[in-house]
Amino acid sequence: MPRDGYDFPTYGIDDGLFYALHIPSLVCTVSAVSRRFRFFFTSWTNSERLIVYMAICDGLYNIVHFATHAHVALVRGPVYPRAVCVFYGYGMIVFITAQSLLVNVVSINAFMLMYLNKRLTLGIFDWRLLVWVFGVPLVGTTTAAIFDQLGPTGAVCYFDGVKGQKTQLFFNAVPMTIIFIVNIALYIATWVKIRSKSLELRRSLGAKSAAQTATIKAAKSMSLFVGAFFTQWSILTISIAWTMIANSVSNFLEHLFHLLPDIGVAHFL
């Protein structure tokens, strides 16, 4: 009498049908994945793919952030062993940074669309985008982890509250603030251009009006996307600036930092 599934004999071993089952299944799976992979890069627009990438970053960040808060809440103290805390902090830093860099790409794309009537070239299979958005955070965060800069902060796992202060300043605070300012400048410039072009189209409807309207609509969608991100993540820049000035974070900002980003960009659109 079998006790569980491990007591069943492996299918196909005795009658020679083992590979006849598994190899065709593997080939069909790889083929289906390849078709979907090509469809994603050939049939989806830049804007649609950027939204998918943002949803992935947002979802993965929420999973890691939920895990670290759940762990701290269950043990009513810091996360042990340290390696687990480093894992949580690693995930949070990677996906926060990836979202910031991705929104930077979105804002540049919208700006180029309105002022140059061109879309940002992302490379074959978006390799340029992926290297910038995911490669940079992975390399930087891995380096910080190797040099023991990640750990507990008193609230969650992020840059270590003692060892990682300077690293957070140079890896997180300065770049994030610069990117945030650049995004705001591009966002404002893009909306100024959208407004002026919209007024022009209202005055004179020519042969190119349909294409121009589509361009304006795409730029508006991307700009709203950037604006939603500002609302979600502006608290990070404010907290960083506050820490640099006061050398501490108020309880109000600490709570906002752990609540507002979890809402997600989609709730603002």
Side-chain angles (χ1 to χ4, degrees), residues 101 126-138:
L101 296 176
D126 297 341
W127 73 267
R128 292 175 181 168
L129 172 73
L130 296 175
V131 167
W132 172 244
V133 170
F134 295 106
V136 172
L138 284 171

Side-chain angles (χ1 to χ4, degrees), residues 154-177:
V156 290
C157 296
Y158 197 56
F159 285 103
D160 188 283
V162 178
K163 298 179 181 179
Q165 286 186 343
K166 290 184 179 178
T167 303
Q168 182 176 10
L169 177 65
F170 292 106
F171 180 87
N172 203 196
V174 175
M176 290 283 282
T177 303

Side-chain angles (χ1 to χ4, degrees), residues 6-208:
Y6 287 101
D7 291 329
F8 284 111
T10 302
Y11 178 87
I13 291 291
D14 295 333
D15 55 13
L17 295 176
F18 179 79
Y19 291 110
L21 170 68
H22 293 289
I23 290 178
S25 179
L26 289 169
V27 170
C28 290
T29 302
V30 171
S31 175
V33 170
S34 298
R35 284 198 302 271
R36 294 189 184 100
F37 184 78
R38 288 195 299 270
F39 180 79
F40 179 71
F41 290 105
T42 57
S43 301
W44 290 47
T45 64
N46 281 9
S47 302
E48 290 170 336
R49 295 202 305 277
L50 288 169
I51 290 173
V52 170
Y53 292 137
M54 179 58 78
I56 291 171
C57 288
D58 212 24
L60 291 174
Y61 165 78
N62 282 327
I63 290 171
V64 178
H65 199 198
F66 175 85
T68 185
H69 274 291
H71 198 141
V72 172
L74 286 171
V75 302
R76 293 180 59 84
V79 173
Y80 288 104
R82 187 178 181 85
V84 175
C85 192
V86 170
F87 173 78
Y88 291 151
Y90 187 95
M92 285 183 60
I93 295 165
V94 166
F95 296 121
I96 287 174
T97 309
Q99 286 189 67
S100 299
L101 296 176
L102 186 56
V103 171
N104 185 234
V105 172
V106 173
S107 61
I108 292 171
N109 198 26
F111 180 85
M112 289 179 61
L113 201 59
M114 293 310 300
Y115 283 89
L116 303 176
N117 201 28
K118 292 181 180 179
R119 293 182 183 273
L120 200 61
T121 303
L122 304 179
I124 298 173
F125 299 132
D126 297 341
W127 73 267
R128 292 175 181 168
L129 172 73
L130 296 175
V131 167
W132 172 244
V133 170
F134 295 106
V136 172
L138 284 171
V139 170
T141 310
T142 300
T143 303
I146 290 171
F147 286 96
D148 200 24
Q149 299 297 295
L150 310 184
T153 65
V156 290
C157 296
Y158 197 56
F159 285 103
D160 188 283
V162 178
K163 298 179 181 179
Q165 286 186 343
K166 290 184 179 178
T167 303
Q168 182 176 10
L169 177 65
F170 292 106
F171 180 87
N172 203 196
V174 175
M176 290 283 282
T177 303
I178 292 172
I179 290 172
F180 195 78
I181 292 170
V182 170
N183 284 346
I184 289 175
L186 292 174
Y187 177 75
I188 293 172
T190 300
W191 268 103
V192 168
K193 193 69 173 179
I194 288 172
R195 181 171 177 78
S196 65
K197 278 203 172 188
S198 298
L199 291 173
E200 287 177 16
L201 284 175
R202 288 175 189 172
R203 294 193 196 99
S204 59
L205 295 175
K208 296 182 179 179

